[in-house]
């Protein structure tokens, strides 16, 4: 092993990007990324969660360079004028150079995102499958890294996975680092998934990478910092702090009984670069040959909403009871089976705290969106990008990754017009109710055929959501302001009804001759609980379907009239 090698990610290419001008793919260093940020469309990666992890690290630089944001600074950065560009670039360059020595992947004393000399009692190291999160140990399926591809890894790719593992590593038993007093019998027992693995992450993307980084740069006056429970005074990225050792860091490693204690969070820059693991890359020159991954600083997400900006939150009554706290919020993780647009109403301003209410809200939207609302960042076209991981087997393996994006105008998420939330809720409810009516149609036709209904119900539901997904994404892009929402609502009602009728007719037309004739089935009246014999055929199923649709759209119209 050659320990004298150097690969400093500050000035060596490793971050994959797509350029704006010609759509070309490049790998750039950190300094090159900031120098060319206005010419870069997006950060890419070997898989979606790499993109989120790397962007979070880059956003942390803004907190370090500018030491927090206020409204005036934010707008100056977002609308970067020519006369300011040189000064901003100088500030970023000076900052990068000041911490340059903290970014060498193979530094003998302070290796980037690692611990020098980290070792176990038996001086073991693991294969690189432990570093690649889409290759669960022992189950190397559905991956581009197979066989000899995992025997070695270039420094650039290793750097990408290093940042990703610190953000999203699975839980489970880790190697026991010598010097870590938590180790028992040579093992590091589970402390939970890495920090970002707790989140249903959101990244607000602009026209270029510079806009994206600024859009996710949140100022502290989004909430009242006079509240003693919220303290950002000790917030900074990891490279500004003393380099971590194999031991847990005092004031950061959170004991199990301290869940909900907000003093461990420190602030957004801290969480954007949280060292959930202690890691050491083994290498021969610039070729990585193995890895050692041990437990780092434990942190649980209860009540971190004033520190972690990039996720929504839900109130948890079970956690309040278990921790004996009056209010506990947990990150609202993404459901891999649900498109991002179905949860859009929970991201509107209606989810902001109501000062007149004594009862805490059931949901809190990301403070990122509260900040953009506070500074008046409306009518900006954005892409709302959702990232996350679903873990399995006691959080010890990756089961699914969430990567979903929605193009819309920022006014949809920042408008204080309550009609915006109502419009979105109605659109989602119409979709869900209408698709349930289609499922009932499939069940009725299956009854008429005398066949299994569950398969037909599932298939038509999946097909309908696929069509509605495309339709909703186009429709949400038409909302450019909050002044004519009634027209927007009528447009969706008309479009959705036409689509549902068309899908129902198409499905019914494919029914078998046996279903046309039909079959008598004993059913239970849901109101009276009485049993009755009903003859199901395609005509009867279609009649019930149209009646259900009429009920849905009549109900929607009545709700609109009541408002």
């Amino acid at each position: 092993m050659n320990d004298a090698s150097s690969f400093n990610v500050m000035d060596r290419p490793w971050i994959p990007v797509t350029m704006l001008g010609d759509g070309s793919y490049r790998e750039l260093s950190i300094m090159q990324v900031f120098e060319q940020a206005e010419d870069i469309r997006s950060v890419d990666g070997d898989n979606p969660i790499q993109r989120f992890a790397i962007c979070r690290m880059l956003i942390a630089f803004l907190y370090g360079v500018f030491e927090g944001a206020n409204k005036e600074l934010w707008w100056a950065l977002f609308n970067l004028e020519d006369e300011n560009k040189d000064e901003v670039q100088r500030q970023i360059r000076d900052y990068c150079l000041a911490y340059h020595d903290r970014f060498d992947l193979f530094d003998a004393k302070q290796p980037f995102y690692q611990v020098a000399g980290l070792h176990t009692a038996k001086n073991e190291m693991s294969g690189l499958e432990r570093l690649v999160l889409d290759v669960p140990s022992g189950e190397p399926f559905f991956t581009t890294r197979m066989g000899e591809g995992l025997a070695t890894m270039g420094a650039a790719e290793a750097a990408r996975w290093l940042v990703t593992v610190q953000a999203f590593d699975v839980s489970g038993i880790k190697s026991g680092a010598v010097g870590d007093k938590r180790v028992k019998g040579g093992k590091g027992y589970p402390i939970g998934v890495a920090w970002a693995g707790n989140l249903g992450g959101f990244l607000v993307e602009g026209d270029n990478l510079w806009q994206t980084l600024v859009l996710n740069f949140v100022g502290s006056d989004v909430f009242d910092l006079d509240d003693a429970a919220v303290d950002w005074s000790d917030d900074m990225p990891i490279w500004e702090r003393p380099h971590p050792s194999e031991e847990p860091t005092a004031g950061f490693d959170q004991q199990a009984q301290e869940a909900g204690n907000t003093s461990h969070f420190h602030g957004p820059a801290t969480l954007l670069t949280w060292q959930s693991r202690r890691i050491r890359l083994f290498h021969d020159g610039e070729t990585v040959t193995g890895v050692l991954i041990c437990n780092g600083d434990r942190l649980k997400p209860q009540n971190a909403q004033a520190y972690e900006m990039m996720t929504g939150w839900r109130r948890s009554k079970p956690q309040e009871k278990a921790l004996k706290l009056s209010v506990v919020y947990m990150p609202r993780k993404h459901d891999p089976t649900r498109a991002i647009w179905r949860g859009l109403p929970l991201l509107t301003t209606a989810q902001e705290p109501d000062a007149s209410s004594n009862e805490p809200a059931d949901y809190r939207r990301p403070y990122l969106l509260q900040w953009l609302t506070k500074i008046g960042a409306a009518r900006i076209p954005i892409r709302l990008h959702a990232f996350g991981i679903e873990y399995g087997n006691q959080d010890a393996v990756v089961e699914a990754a969430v990567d979903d994006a929605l193009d819309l105008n920022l006014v949809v998420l920042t408008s204080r017009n309550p009609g915006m939330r109502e419009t979105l809720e109605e659109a989602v409810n119409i979709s869900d109710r209408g698709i349930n009516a289609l499922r009932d149609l499939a069940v009725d036709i299956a009854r008429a055929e005398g066949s299994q209904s569950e398969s037909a119900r599932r298939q038509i539901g999946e097909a309908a959501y696929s069509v509605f997904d495309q339709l909703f994404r186009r429709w949400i892009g038409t909302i450019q302001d909050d002044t004519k929402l009634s027209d927007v609502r009528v447009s969706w009602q008309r479009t959705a009804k036409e689509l549902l009728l068309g899908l129902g007719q198409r499905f019914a037309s494919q029914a078998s001759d046996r279903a046309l004739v039909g079959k008598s089935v004993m059913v239970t009246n849901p109101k009276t609980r009485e049993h009755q014999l009903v003859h199901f055929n395609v005509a009867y199923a279609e009649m019930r379907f149209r009646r259900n649709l009429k009920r849905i759209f009549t109900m929607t119209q009545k709700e609109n009239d009541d408002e």
Side-chain angles (χ1 to χ4, degrees), residues 282-343:
F282 295 83
H283 61 102
D284 183 5
E286 293 185 6
T287 300
V288 177
T289 56
V291 65
L292 177 61
I293 301 178
C294 306
N295 284 327
D297 295 322
R298 180 186 189 273
L299 191 64
K300 293 300 182 183
Q302 289 91 337
N303 283 343
Q305 64 271 12
Y307 302 86
E308 173 54 63
M309 305 287 105
M310 301 174 75
T311 186
W313 301 85
R314 59 176 177 82
R315 189 178 177 189
S316 173
K317 297 293 181 66
Q319 286 286 319
E320 291 171 359
K321 183 177 180 180
L323 298 176
K324 296 181 173 57
L325 294 173
S326 59
V327 181
V328 174
Y329 284 103
M330 295 291 289
R332 192 167 62 88
K333 296 195 70 172
H334 301 306
D335 181 348
T337 66
R338 288 173 60 92
I340 183 177
W341 57 266
R342 294 176 67 188

Side-chain angles (χ1 to χ4, degrees), residues 65-85:
V65 174
F66 301 107
E67 299 181 351
N70 55 49
K71 181 177 180 179
E72 292 71 24
L73 172 63
W74 191 94
W75 278 109
L77 292 173
F78 186 78
N79 296 319
L80 203 54
E81 302 291 344
D82 289 340
E83 59 268 24
N84 297 330
K85 286 182 182 180

Side-chain angles (χ1 to χ4, degrees), residues 45-156:
D46 301 305
N47 75 9
I49 58 172
Q50 268 193 12
R51 181 178 188 177
F52 188 59
I54 293 171
C55 281
R56 280 173 65 85
M57 183 204 70
L58 293 173
I59 294 163
F61 275 82
L62 298 188
Y63 285 94
V65 174
F66 301 107
E67 299 181 351
N70 55 49
K71 181 177 180 179
E72 292 71 24
L73 172 63
W74 191 94
W75 278 109
L77 292 173
F78 186 78
N79 296 319
L80 203 54
E81 302 291 344
D82 289 340
E83 59 268 24
N84 297 330
K85 286 182 182 180
D86 288 345
E87 174 59 20
V88 168
Q89 282 292 336
R90 183 195 64 76
Q91 289 178 274
I92 294 174
R93 185 169 56 253
D94 289 350
Y95 181 84
C96 289
L97 292 174
Y99 294 98
H100 185 273
D101 61 345
R102 292 293 298 270
F103 288 84
D104 194 327
L105 208 59
F106 304 134
D107 187 81
K109 295 182 179 180
Q110 300 183 125
F112 174 64
Y113 268 39
Q114 301 165 75
V115 172
L118 187 72
H119 65 284
T120 67
K122 296 181 180 180
N123 290 311
E124 306 139 307
M125 74 173 182
S126 301
L128 293 175
E129 69 276 0
R130 293 292 180 91
L131 193 62
V132 180
L133 285 181
D134 66 346
V135 185
S137 182
E139 300 180 33
F141 303 119
F142 307 109
T143 177
T144 56
R145 300 303 305 271
M146 294 288 287
E148 293 301 317
L150 282 174
T152 63
M153 186 181 291

Side-chain angles (χ1 to χ4, degrees), residues 291-476:
V291 65
L292 177 61
I293 301 178
C294 306
N295 284 327
D297 295 322
R298 180 186 189 273
L299 191 64
K300 293 300 182 183
Q302 289 91 337
N303 283 343
Q305 64 271 12
Y307 302 86
E308 173 54 63
M309 305 287 105
M310 301 174 75
T311 186
W313 301 85
R314 59 176 177 82
R315 189 178 177 189
S316 173
K317 297 293 181 66
Q319 286 286 319
E320 291 171 359
K321 183 177 180 180
L323 298 176
K324 296 181 173 57
L325 294 173
S326 59
V327 181
V328 174
Y329 284 103
M330 295 291 289
R332 192 167 62 88
K333 296 195 70 172
H334 301 306
D335 181 348
T337 66
R338 288 173 60 92
I340 183 177
W341 57 266
R342 294 176 67 188
L344 209 53
L346 292 179
L347 300 179
T348 63
T349 54
Q351 302 306 323
E352 289 189 4
D354 182 359
S356 64
S357 174
N358 293 323
E359 183 65 19
D362 288 335
Y363 296 95
R364 301 288 292 271
R365 65 188 191 136
Y367 273 82
L368 163 61
L369 297 180
Q370 291 198 34
W371 166 255
L372 293 172
T373 301
K374 183 181 181 70
I375 62 174
R379 294 178 175 81
I380 298 173
I382 63 154
R383 171 167 289 181
L384 183 67
H385 209 140
F387 297 92
I389 280 186
E390 181 178 24
Y391 299 92
N393 191 20
Q394 296 183 317
D395 291 339
V397 296
V398 173
E399 291 219 331
V402 173
D403 174 26
D404 192 6
L406 188 64
D407 293 324
L408 44 74
N409 196 291
L410 199 50
V411 70
V412 173
L413 303 176
T414 61
S415 170
R416 295 195 179 277
N417 183 345
M420 184 65 76
R421 175 188 57 83
E422 293 157 4
T423 298
L424 298 178
E425 279 186 342
E426 179 186 289
V428 173
N429 287 338
I430 285 175
S431 305
D432 289 338
R433 292 174 188 169
I435 291 171
N436 278 334
L438 279 171
R439 288 173 171 145
D440 290 343
L441 172 66
V443 170
D444 286 350
I445 292 178
R447 284 171 169 170
E449 290 178 331
S451 61
Q452 292 293 322
S453 61
E454 191 53 42
S455 175
R457 178 181 174 84
R458 185 183 67 255
Q459 289 177 11
I460 196 171
E462 291 174 353
Y465 268 119
S466 177
V467 177
F468 263 88
D469 185 75
Q470 299 173 42
L471 194 69
F472 193 99
R473 292 173 191 276
R474 287 198 298 269
W475 172 77
I476 199 72

